Amino acid sequence: MRLIRFIAASSSSTGQVRYGIVAGDALGDGEEAEIEELAANDPFAELVTGKSVAELERTGQRFGLGDVRLLAPVADPSKIVGVGKNYAEHIKEFDSFTPVEPLLFLKPSTAIIGLGDPIILPRWSDKVDHEAELAVVIGKTAKNVGVNEALSYIVGYTVANDVSARDIQKKDGQWTRAKGFDTACPLGPWITIDPRLDPTDLLVTAKVNGDLKQSSSTAAMLNPVAELIAFISGVFTLLPGDVILTGTPAGVSQLHGGDTVEVSVAGVGALTNPVVGEG
């Protein structure tokens, strides 16, 4: 099951934003895959009541996947929590230190873009990198949860690109500007909801203009997903719709205007965005 946020392709850019479910284990039928529209304007608000996504009311209206424009599956989370330095090889490529505890930062919701939306390189940075990541979407309020129960707080998984102004990250010493600028958080193309999905061993990749740059398994994480949720929920109360970016493997590289970057997570999805210069 995949939870999507979309606009009907026949609508203008100001058309009604809707949520829907793409059923089935795979999208092998491409544009023939069928979407069931959800009645909820904000399904994450309904998840607070204890409903599962499968229990959310449908309108009865159906769309083909080719009849819609996919948007970022999460629009306005209360927080996007990033995790830095969570893969040893990524730490090594920057000759950096290994944190004793998970290293956290925040991105604003205004950084979010979806499938096909442009990553806009800010004019105040000379080096912007891609970072392919598994993203976790929270499905119920989590505070001080234990590692053994942490995965039960996840509604599903999506793909993220933690776009980072590397020169500014180094210059500022803290990461807010470098990782929080507009378009710095591509998410999508949907939220994959599958209790069989094992977040401890998923292939994470990034390609720029078709050239493979990053390729590693989430098995290489220093702090796996369950430990991250337990740690983060001890710092922040996590709410339905909040997003955790779980860190990036080695192989990050600079983006330039005219590039196309694709980040993917096996079993979750693939997210492609063009890159343009500001102005």
Side-chain angles (χ1 to χ4, degrees):
M1 180 186 297
R2 292 164 174 86
L3 176 63
I4 65 169
R5 183 168 158 266
F6 69 95
I7 293 176
S10 58
S11 303
S12 69
S13 59
T14 58
Q16 180 185 359
V17 176
R18 317 172 196 213
Y19 285 88
I21 294 293
V22 183
D25 292 333
L27 292 173
D29 292 333
E31 294 187 356
E32 298 305 315
E34 192 170 57
I35 297 162
E36 298 177 277
E37 183 184 11
L38 293 177
N41 292 325
D42 180 3
F44 298 104
E46 294 207 14
L47 295 180
V48 175
T49 67
K51 287 184 179 180
S52 69
V53 172
E55 294 171 324
L56 296 178
E57 182 183 354
R58 273 67 161 170
T59 66
Q61 187 165 2
R62 296 172 181 266
F63 298 85
L65 192 61
D67 297 327
V68 306
R69 180 168 71 89
L70 295 180
L71 307 174
V74 179
D76 191 23
S78 78
K79 64 189 76 67
I80 304 164
V81 185
V83 179
K85 304 179 188 294
N86 200 27
Y87 286 78
E89 291 301 312
H90 178 57
I91 294 171
K92 188 183 298 184
E93 72 179 341
F94 284 96
D95 193 24
S96 188
F97 68 93
T98 300
V100 176
E101 297 178 301
L103 181 60
L104 306 182
F105 60 92
L106 296 174
K107 283 180 179 266
S109 61
T110 47
I112 294 175
I113 58 173
L115 176 72
D117 294 331
I119 297 168
I120 301 174
L121 304 176
R123 60 172 59 95
W124 37 261
S125 173
D126 294 323
K127 191 176 190 304
V128 174
D129 292 353
H130 60 81
E131 294 191 1
E133 309 202 8
L134 170 67
V136 172
V137 184
I138 297 299
K140 57 184 180 179
T141 302
K143 180 62 179 176
N144 293 327
V145 304
V147 172
N148 291 338
E149 60 179 335
L151 296 184
S152 70
Y153 287 82
I154 298 172
V155 68
Y157 303 89
T158 191
V159 182
N161 188 349
D162 177 20
V163 181
S164 303
R166 197 68 66 198
D167 53 344
I168 302 302
Q169 185 179 4
K170 182 177 180 180
K171 174 183 175 182
D172 286 358
Q174 51 81 25
W175 300 356
T176 303
R177 181 164 65 130
K179 291 176 172 283
F181 61 89
D182 291 351
T183 77
C185 192
L187 286 177
W190 41 60
I191 298 169
T192 295
I193 302 166
D194 185 350
R196 300 166 300 177
L197 196 68
D198 180 5
T200 66
D201 190 14
L202 299 174
L203 180 65
V204 179
T205 63
K207 296 179 180 179
V208 179
N209 304 326
D211 295 330
L212 184 64
K213 299 293 186 179
Q214 294 181 272
S215 181
S216 184
S217 169
T218 56
M221 286 183 182
L222 299 177
N223 300 281
V225 169
E227 292 181 13
L228 290 176
I229 293 172
F231 181 82
I232 294 167
S233 71
V235 181
F236 313 107
T237 298
L238 294 169
L239 303 177
D242 282 353
V243 179
I244 298 173
L245 311 183
T246 59
T248 197
V252 301
S253 66
Q254 185 172 359
L255 297 173
H256 302 88
D259 286 344
T260 298
V261 57
E262 177 189 287
V263 294
S264 66
V265 178
V268 178
L271 178 64
T272 302
N273 297 92
V275 182
V276 300
E278 187 174 31

